[in-house]
Amino acid sequence: MVSDEVVRDILRQNEAMSNLVDTLGEDDDLFEKGLDSFGSVQLMLALEERFNVEFPDSLLNRRSFSTIRIIRETVTSLTLGEAA
Amino acid sequence: MTQDLVRRAKRVAAVAAQHADTVDREGRFPAEAVAALKAERLLGLQVPTQYGGEGAGLALIAEVCCTLGQACSASAMVFAMHHIKLASLVTHGLTSDWHCGLMAKVANEQLLIASSTTEAGIGGDLRNSLCAVEADGDLFNLGKDASVISYGAEADVILVTARRNPEAPTSDQVLVALMRDQMSLNRTSTWDTLGMRGTCSEGFRLEARGVPTVQILPKPFAEIAAQSMLASSHLLWSSVWFGIATYAVDRARSYVQGEARRRPGTVPPSALRLAEAANALQAMKATVLSGLRKFEGAQHEPDELSSIGFAVSLNNVKTTSSTMAVDIVQRALGIVGISGYRNDTPFSLGRPLRDVMSAPLMIANDRILSNTANLLLVQKGGGQLLSA
């Protein structure tokens, strides 16, 4: 399942995020914490690879990757959609 | 409104055209054209009507950029840059009383807004800052080595990017509105360039002390950049370049028609080249227009504005239109030949050619293509002709 910890593990690979991950709240805005366009794409790729999902274009926006909670919910809904 | 606006823009363009050569030769600010912009009240166009403006959307501003681009590239670019900053205020400042007051002043007093994003040590990467807002209670200090502030010496207001506080990472930025009398500007570099000489994009050491913190825009700059600056910059710059290319093709057309009149019964060989240039100009126009329509469709949808698909298509508008604009002006020069190469004929194209060569360089196309390349790693595609 998609746990908070797995999302944090993936975020830890991001240069701008790595030192901050443990201090991030579930609802902190990652872009305000320094996630940039390059970093967000790398995050999307890592999530796609880890959970074997593909984010449709409709989810490829800032909001879908803005907080740990939203990432977890987005990935969860995609994994459930694939299982159905 | 459109017809009235076109007439006002054309009156300004007539003034701009009259002074374009001296502005270029002397590398000076297009003061006459900017005075005409103020007289026609075009600096407040975008300000919402309740604050004394006309509530114009980006497409109307783009139309004015194109009209001015046909007369004086520097004047057109000053107008475009002013409205790119104003777009950020209008999109992100409505929840702040202070910024609403500023919009009213811009409309009523026709204030000119400049931008300070570029910084020594960071370069043109607008999403990073070294300088920081240093707040003390309700006031703050800010000092910035601003290596480029276009028409900074002439601006009434400058919107400045800075880190949120001295501890914030370089990408955690805010946008601050500084009034002319709240800051000192000491020139650190000059602007002696191939073209676009009238934008006077000089470097300054900017110092502001004791500025009320309410002048910091409430939204993070990351959001402002993604939701209003990306689109308005690419679309308004492209509209200026389209104006320059249009002027060049008009000169070429007029030249070919002159040839045709002198030799009745034949189609001049240069007409074929004109057909190619007109073809390219139409393709460029379609690129800019589709970008403007895409923006109008997405304007009130923050998710769409911040989507990867939107960023890719706006990036493509910039790289395509800037490359095409240079190509089109060069084609026009090829058609008019030596008359265009000379600086003293009705067909002279030296100034527009030098000006338009800035297009692929202002935010280098390679930087934009690298950004697009990154985004394409996750975009899925499958677009339709009539949408996306």
Side-chain angles (χ1 to χ4, degrees):
Chain A
M1 250 350 276
V2 187
S3 71
D4 214 76
E5 223 17 71
V6 181
V7 177
R8 284 178 197 271
D9 276 345
I10 291 172
L11 275 173
R12 230 169 248 121
Q13 299 160 16
N14 182 281
E15 202 184 336
M17 296 281 104
S18 56
N19 292 326
L20 293 170
V21 172
D22 295 326
T23 64
L24 287 174
E26 268 212 314
D27 297 310
D28 280 346
D29 189 312
L30 301 177
F31 291 96
E32 285 180 35
K33 297 289 178 184
L35 187 65
D36 60 8
S37 155
F38 178 76
S40 62
V41 166
Q42 293 302 315
L43 172 64
M44 292 170 197
L45 285 170
L47 291 164
E48 288 189 334
E49 176 71 11
R50 173 70 179 73
F51 295 103
N52 193 26
V53 293
E54 283 202 1
F55 296 106
D57 283 332
S58 60
L59 288 178
L60 295 179
N61 56 54
R62 225 177 146 74
R63 195 168 53 85
S64 308
F65 299 88
S66 57
T67 71
I68 291 177
R69 184 198 301 276
I70 294 174
I71 292 173
R72 207 185 55 222
E73 289 170 356
T74 307
V75 177
T76 302
S77 72
L78 279 177
T79 50
L80 289 177
E82 296 220 334
Chain B
M1 178 179 174
T2 314
Q3 278 317 308
D4 167 61
L5 183 61
V6 169
R7 277 193 291 274
R8 288 153 72 197
K10 283 191 169 163
R11 286 196 289 266
V12 178
V15 175
Q18 198 186 333
H19 298 280
D21 282 330
T22 36
V23 163
D24 173 62
R25 197 175 310 121
E26 296 167 15
R28 69 161 174 84
F29 181 68
E32 299 86 350
V34 172
L37 282 170
K38 292 182 178 191
E40 295 288 350
R41 305 198 66 72
L42 293 178
L43 294 187
L45 266 185
Q46 249 188 119
V47 171
T49 47
Q50 70 264 36
Y51 300 117
E54 296 173 50
L58 205 65
L60 286 179
I61 310 293
E63 185 73 85
V64 179
C65 288
C66 167
T67 303
L68 296 176
Q70 295 172 57
C72 167
S73 319
S75 305
M77 199 46 89
V78 170
F79 177 79
M81 290 191 275
H82 164 85
H83 275 286
I84 292 163
K85 298 329 284 179
L86 194 48
S88 293
L89 274 181
V90 170
T91 313
H92 304 282
L94 289 172
T95 57
S96 149
D97 289 344
W98 191 88
H99 293 95
C100 290
L102 176 59
M103 282 180 241
K105 270 172 88 90
V106 169
N108 295 336
E109 300 170 27
Q110 293 292 297
L111 302 183
L112 181 64
I113 313 173
S115 169
S116 167
T117 55
T118 311
E119 185 175 8
I122 289 279
D125 176 10
L126 93 165
R127 282 290 289 102
N128 280 289
S129 290
L130 291 178
C131 68
V133 168
E134 295 174 36
D136 183 9
D138 294 337
L139 302 176
F140 70 88
N141 298 335
L142 173 62
K144 181 168 185 171
D145 284 318
S147 35
V148 178
I149 305 181
S150 291
Y151 57 93
E154 309 289 339
D156 303 303
V157 185
I158 302 185
L159 295 193
V160 187
T161 50
R163 282 183 295 143
R164 184 180 301 280
N165 58 57
E167 283 75 47
T170 56
S171 60
D172 185 8
Q173 299 160 290
V174 289
L175 189 63
V176 178
L178 296 175
M179 308 303 290
R180 187 66 192 86
D181 60 6
Q182 291 179 313
M183 62 188 145
S184 65
L185 288 175
N186 287 307
R187 193 176 282 109
T188 50
S189 62
T190 56
W191 179 252
D192 183 1
T193 49
L194 180 69
M196 284 291 179
R197 294 171 56 78
T199 61
C200 299
S201 306
E202 298 162 331
F204 298 91
R205 172 68 198 176
L206 180 156
E207 288 286 352
R209 311 222 143 258
V211 180
T213 50
V214 289
Q215 293 181 216
I216 302 171
L217 270 145
K219 294 275 175 62
F221 180 65
E223 210 170 302
I224 297 173
Q227 297 196 355
S228 70
M229 271 188 67
L230 171 91
S232 57
S233 308
H234 291 344
L235 291 170
L236 295 187
W237 291 350
S238 294
S239 304
V240 171
W241 302 327
F242 178 71
I244 300 174
T246 300
Y247 172 80
V249 171
D250 282 350
R251 297 289 78 214
R253 182 188 293 111
S254 166
Y255 184 85
V256 171
Q257 290 175 351
E259 295 277 284
R261 281 194 291 268
R262 271 194 296 280
R263 295 184 186 77
T266 61
V267 177
S270 55
L272 205 58
R273 301 283 91 84
L274 176 65
E276 288 172 338
N279 190 350
L281 187 71
Q282 185 180 320
M284 181 185 177
K285 179 173 179 168
T287 298
V288 181
L289 267 183
S290 73
L292 282 168
R293 295 209 172 112
K294 194 167 178 73
F295 175 73
E296 285 185 334
Q299 202 174 1
H300 303 295
E301 313 273 347
D303 282 354
E304 175 60 16
L305 282 178
S306 72
S307 73
I308 282 185
F310 185 76
V312 167
S313 55
L314 266 291
N315 280 353
N316 287 344
V317 168
K318 195 277 172 181
T319 51
T320 303
S321 66
S322 58
T323 310
M324 290 192 81
V326 175
D327 175 60
I328 291 166
V329 179
Q330 281 182 328
R331 284 173 188 273
L333 178 60
I335 293 164
V336 302
I338 201 71
S339 308
Y341 194 73
R342 293 176 61 131
N343 285 329
D344 57 355
T345 83
F347 301 102
S348 301
L349 286 174
R351 177 169 49 80
L353 178 62
R354 286 183 289 105
D355 289 337
V356 85
M357 288 180 84
S358 66
L361 312 177
M362 56 186 287
I363 308 194
N365 279 0
D366 270 0
R367 184 195 288 265
I368 293 177
L369 286 169
S370 304
N371 178 267
T372 306
N374 178 50
L375 300 177
L376 291 177
L377 299 180
V378 285
Q379 197 195 21
K380 303 303 182 296
Q384 294 163 261
L385 178 62
L386 299 183
S387 69

